[in-house]
Amino acid sequence: MINIEHRDRLVAVTVFGEFALADYKEFEELENYKIQFSGPIDLLFDLREMAGFTLDVAGGDQVRASMPTTSVASPCSPTTSG
């Protein structure tokens, strides 16, 4: 799910959970409209609420951004020789 805010030249997109294909299409439609009627835009993607997911977006060239996930290291068990 995404939330898109736009004013003047700024388009700010906040991604919550997953960035689905339908979300990308919604963003792409607004982006194309803004560029067509307003010229170049400033774009801000806030991915902080998307932790743990991988984002694949095809738009001209393929862009792949992998979000870091939190991992817990397991304690090392002592080895004994015997």
Side-chain angles (χ1 to χ4, degrees), residues 2-4 11-13 19-35 41-45 57:
I2 63 172
N3 179 44
I4 301 175
V11 176
V13 180
F19 189 51
L21 182 58
D23 296 327
Y24 178 76
K25 288 181 178 182
E26 178 185 348
F27 156 72
E28 183 180 40
E29 185 177 305
L30 176 67
E31 171 197 35
N32 289 335
Y33 178 85
K34 293 288 282 185
I35 291 171
I41 61 171
D42 295 320
L43 180 61
L44 172 68
F45 263 89
V57 178

Side-chain angles (χ1 to χ4, degrees), residues 8-71:
D8 301 325
R9 290 183 41 202
L10 176 66
V11 176
V13 180
T14 304
V15 180
F16 298 96
E18 279 187 346
F19 189 51
L21 182 58
D23 296 327
Y24 178 76
K25 288 181 178 182
E26 178 185 348
F27 156 72
E28 183 180 40
E29 185 177 305
L30 176 67
E31 171 197 35
N32 289 335
Y33 178 85
K34 293 288 282 185
I35 291 171
Q36 181 179 359
F37 293 103
S38 302
I41 61 171
D42 295 320
L43 180 61
L44 172 68
F45 263 89
D46 183 354
L47 304 176
R48 291 177 291 180
E49 300 298 323
M50 192 181 159
F53 290 94
T54 299
L55 169 67
D56 292 321
V57 178
D61 296 334
Q62 186 172 18
V63 176
R64 183 178 194 102
S66 183
M67 301 304 297
T69 57
T70 304
S71 60

